Amino acid sequence: MRRASSPGADGLSWAGFRSGLRERLEELAEQLRDGTWQPGPLRASHVVAYTGKRIDTVIPTVRDRVVHRAMRRAIEPVLDASALAPWVSGFRRGRNRLTSVRQAAAHLDQGRTWVVDVDVQQASAGATTDEVIDWLAEHVYDGTFLARVRTALNVLPDPIAPGCGLSPLLINLRLSQVDAKVNGFSAVRFADNYCLFTSSRHEADAAYDALTEALATVGLHAHPDKSRIRPSAHAEDLFLISG
């Protein structure tokens, strides 16, 4: 808990939360057990992305961030085992951009040099809380736990709102449904960027159509300015932060 991130709307910092930590955690655990826990107010904020784009975010209270982290740590192993393909990296422990680059290089070395490079437009937008809970219920069967997650999401302006500690995991959960539909292709996904590797333009066109159709099933689309079919590519040029 030695973090320097901003306090929430209640003004309580991580340092302040550490004061009386045992009692705070015991009280929080009891509220989570008996169902009386309610999230605190959110503080609106924004970040400026590497590309200069402004992204509106929310900042939960430190207390709620503890809950979000606990939920995420409980869910991550379940999704790793049952939902996320081995070719998916980003928002996962031990898997990062370099993992994706190495997997991409292996496909290119095997002659699959036509690359369907698709950046998902607004991967965190457009979902409802009911949808998110339904997605999660396919892998998590504890009704009490799902009820607590619903409580956490109900106060957010969007259930996958940037800034919430659950947002990265829920993006992966949402896209795991797309992953299942394109699992037959030579695919690599880093965060919300897909690359499908094919041997010809004809195969690439078919792969692009399959991916965009799969995205549509969860209300998502390919970013028109960042998505394309590449006749050739170097692995290091894929999955760049700037898109």
Side-chain angles (χ1 to χ4, degrees), residues 6-242:
S6 300
D10 60 357
L12 184 64
S13 66
W14 284 106
F17 192 81
R18 288 199 304 271
S19 177
L21 180 61
R22 180 182 296 276
E23 292 77 14
R24 290 182 188 274
L25 292 181
E26 287 177 352
E27 179 187 29
L28 186 54
E30 181 61 29
Q31 291 177 354
L32 288 167
R33 279 192 295 269
D34 64 22
T36 58
W37 170 72
Q38 291 295 321
L42 299 168
R43 183 161 70 86
S45 185
H46 72 277
V47 296
V48 178
Y50 181 84
T51 57
K53 177 183 176 181
R54 174 188 166 116
I55 301 174
D56 292 327
T57 65
V58 295
I59 301 178
T61 64
V62 167
R63 187 170 184 269
D64 292 343
R65 277 176 261 176
V66 171
V67 175
H68 295 169
R69 181 168 292 270
M71 289 177 172
R72 181 173 172 178
R73 289 174 70 93
I75 298 169
E76 280 179 338
V78 177
L79 297 188
D80 278 339
S82 66
L84 301 181
W87 44 267
V88 171
S89 300
F91 311 141
R92 297 180 73 181
R93 291 177 182 272
R95 294 173 180 267
N96 53 31
R97 177 182 174 272
L98 292 180
T99 310
S100 294
V101 169
R102 285 194 288 269
Q103 291 175 332
H107 289 301
L108 294 169
D109 289 345
Q110 292 171 13
R112 292 184 283 272
T113 56
W114 282 84
V115 183
V116 176
D117 186 357
V118 168
D119 186 276
V120 180
Q121 186 171 28
Q122 295 183 315
S124 63
T128 67
T129 298
D130 284 343
E131 286 176 323
V132 172
I133 296 300
D134 285 346
W135 302 337
L136 191 56
E138 293 183 17
H139 308 282
V140 176
Y141 310 126
D142 186 318
T144 299
F145 184 86
L146 293 173
R148 301 297 179 271
V149 175
R150 181 183 291 276
T151 298
L153 301 183
N154 276 340
V155 302
L156 300 173
D158 185 291
I160 318 182
C164 169
L166 293 171
S167 178
L169 177 143
L170 296 180
I171 289 174
N172 260 344
L173 175 63
R174 187 182 201 178
L175 292 180
S176 70
Q177 300 167 89
V178 179
D179 301 341
K181 291 178 171 60
V182 297
N183 203 32
F185 293 92
S186 298
V188 179
R189 172 165 72 82
F190 174 66
D192 59 0
N193 186 185
Y194 283 88
C195 284
L196 307 186
F197 299 84
T198 67
S199 301
S200 68
R201 176 68 197 223
H202 177 72
E203 291 178 358
D205 288 338
Y208 184 89
D209 290 344
L211 178 53
T212 53
E213 288 173 10
L215 287 170
T217 64
V218 291
L220 294 173
H221 307 279
H223 195 295
D225 299 326
K226 297 182 180 180
S227 302
R228 57 199 180 278
I229 294 176
R230 299 171 180 252
S232 62
H234 191 284
E236 287 287 348
D237 295 331
L238 302 172
F239 313 113
L240 297 175
I241 295 174
S242 64

